[in-house]
Amino acid sequence: MRVLVTGGAGFLGRWAVKALLDRGDEVTVLDDLSNGSEANLAEFPGRVRLVRGDVTDPAAVVDASRCHIDTARLELIGRMRSPGGYIRTRDAFEIRRLDFAEWQAAQAKR
Ligand SMILES: NC(=O)c1ccc[n+]([C@@H]2O[C@H](COP(=O)([O-])OP(=O)(O)OC[C@H]3O[C@@H](n4cnc5c(N)ncnc54)[C@H](O)[C@@H]3O)[C@@H](O)[C@H]2O)c1
């Protein structure tokens, strides 16, 4: 399966990416590195595509989603920067299918 891991350069991301690669998945990570690090993915040279960008930036999402139509997306972002500081988005990660219509809409806006 092709999996897009948002926040995949974070603490849990390293373990999630490792588990996905170990089971043979193709992995792309979308992370702005605000609280993560490329070092967390250093043990997977050439096996993970890292797109550095914000999940709220449509261009970054489209870039990261390229080649990932009909795949799963694993969300590992628990808090996000906002003008007032950080806002909490969720207390646990979630996994869901990528919505193809959503991807197409983002593509059309490019
Ligand atoms: N670490 C734990 O023990 C634990 C336990 C239970 C639940 N969780 C939940 O799991 C999730 C991940 O936890 P973690 O410890 O790996 O956190 P983390 O901060 O290490 O990882 C989150 C990643 O998201 C990235 N990120 C943040 N905002 C972003 C944005 N706007 N665009 C792109 N990337 C962005 C950060 O750079 C970071 O790499 C969170 O939702 C957390 O609440 C964690």
Side-chain angles (χ1 to χ4, degrees):
M1 190 191 293
R2 293 169 173 174
V3 184
L4 173 61
V5 184
T6 60
F11 174 74
L12 286 184
R14 175 233 177 271
W15 297 102
V17 168
K18 180 174 180 358
L20 292 167
L21 290 174
D22 284 350
R23 68 175 209 177
D25 290 331
E26 210 176 293
V27 179
T28 294
V29 165
L30 172 60
D31 199 301
D32 64 0
L33 302 184
S34 58
N35 199 44
S37 168
E38 286 185 65
N40 285 333
L41 304 174
E43 68 188 278
F44 318 115
R47 298 176 66 201
V48 178
R49 179 173 168 243
L50 172 64
V51 176
R52 183 175 181 166
D54 194 302
V55 287
T56 61
D57 174 7
V61 174
V62 167
D63 184 17
S65 303
R66 194 175 298 140
C67 305
H68 279 263
I69 303 170
D70 191 30
T71 65
R73 183 156 74 187
L74 176 59
E75 310 271 11
L76 289 177
I77 296 170
R79 61 180 197 160
M80 290 175 57
R81 273 179 302 185
S82 76
Y86 281 94
I87 50 171
R88 196 155 187 87
T89 56
R90 60 181 66 87
D91 290 322
F93 59 79
E94 61 174 305
I95 186 163
R96 67 183 176 93
R97 301 291 295 177
L98 250 187
D99 182 341
F100 184 50
E102 179 190 347
W103 186 89
Q104 278 184 314
Q107 189 79 332
K109 285 182 191 164
R110 294 194 83 191

